[in-house]
Amino acid sequence: MGCYAAVTALRSARHIVRSDPAARVLVVTVELSTLHLANDDRIEPLLAMLQFGDGAAAALVSATREGFAIDAPFATTLPDSQGWIRWTVGDQGFAMHLSGEVPGRIAEALADPALVATIMGDAPADSWAVHAGGRSILDAVEHGLGLGQGALADSRGVLSDAGNMSSATLMFVLARQMGRAVSNGVALAFGPGLAAEGFRY
């Protein structure tokens, strides 16, 4: 699942808690991307490796009113994009393939009003937690959704401080927003497929 795995795990935890309100589910994401650094002289793999970092995060999902409410999960796949983001298992670890065309494909997809409606919901968002896959991906989301300057400041801050930690990244962005008053937030992550997963909070 790669970078959107936290969304999938949080969504599953939400379903468990909705079925059993006494349940408390611990969601843990651990990514050790630097284990897969490889000696390579091609520009695309080098650029992909340079933006990844190691990270671990945890969230407790329960039926209490503390923290964020996970609501209205969504998932979609961009057509004809299965090879744009992928990991290949090799003798020296996982080889990451991250096409330079991913930001453009995301921007194209966000031109579809139906997709935008799925992501945005019925009310304008006052908070955004977007997976910090890279500066150009955040730019594509910001422009594609017509977000104001600074809307993705938390995502950009995590990217600057820790890099792209794959599935842990979105959890770091959400952690920056804990304690703030959020009435309609949107969490969004992209990953292999090219797929987009998220939820409102």
Side-chain angles (χ1 to χ4, degrees):
M1 289 178 282
C3 298
Y4 61 74
V7 174
T8 306
L10 290 168
R11 183 178 61 223
S12 298
R14 171 184 180 264
H15 289 312
I16 292 169
V17 169
R18 283 165 57 98
S19 299
D20 178 3
R24 296 166 68 83
V25 182
L26 182 65
V27 173
V28 179
T29 60
V30 179
E31 298 286 358
L32 301 174
S33 303
T34 56
L35 289 177
H36 307 291
L37 291 175
N39 188 8
D40 204 317
D41 57 4
R42 294 169 298 145
I43 190 69
E44 200 167 74
L46 286 172
L47 289 174
M49 285 186 281
L50 283 172
Q51 55 186 346
F52 279 86
D54 297 340
L60 184 64
V61 180
S62 72
T64 66
R65 293 190 164 273
E66 299 172 51
F68 297 128
I70 300 171
D71 192 26
F74 59 86
T76 188
T77 303
L78 279 61
D80 303 318
S81 62
Q82 61 271 18
W84 298 79
I85 300 176
R86 67 180 185 273
W87 289 97
T88 304
V89 181
D91 293 336
Q92 306 299 320
F94 291 0
M96 174 68 173
H97 172 77
L98 180 60
S99 171
E101 297 187 46
V102 167
R105 290 300 298 264
I106 290 172
E108 282 176 27
L110 292 175
D112 177 4
L115 177 59
V116 172
T118 298
I119 292 170
M120 303 275 285
D122 298 329
D126 62 358
S127 188
W128 287 89
V130 176
H131 168 71
R135 190 195 62 187
S136 57
I137 297 217
L138 293 175
D139 289 346
V141 171
E142 196 171 70
H143 294 126
L145 294 175
L147 303 181
Q149 188 175 9
L152 302 184
D154 292 319
S155 298
R156 292 184 190 280
V158 169
L159 181 63
S160 176
D161 292 348
N164 179 346
M165 299 167 284
S166 195
S167 67
T169 310
L170 187 68
M171 301 273 267
F172 272 69
V173 178
L174 288 166
R176 286 185 174 222
Q177 299 178 5
M178 290 296 282
R180 289 189 206 158
V182 175
S183 60
N184 188 27
V186 175
L188 174 64
F190 300 94
L194 176 63
E197 300 231 6
F199 55 85
R200 286 184 279 284
Y201 60 94

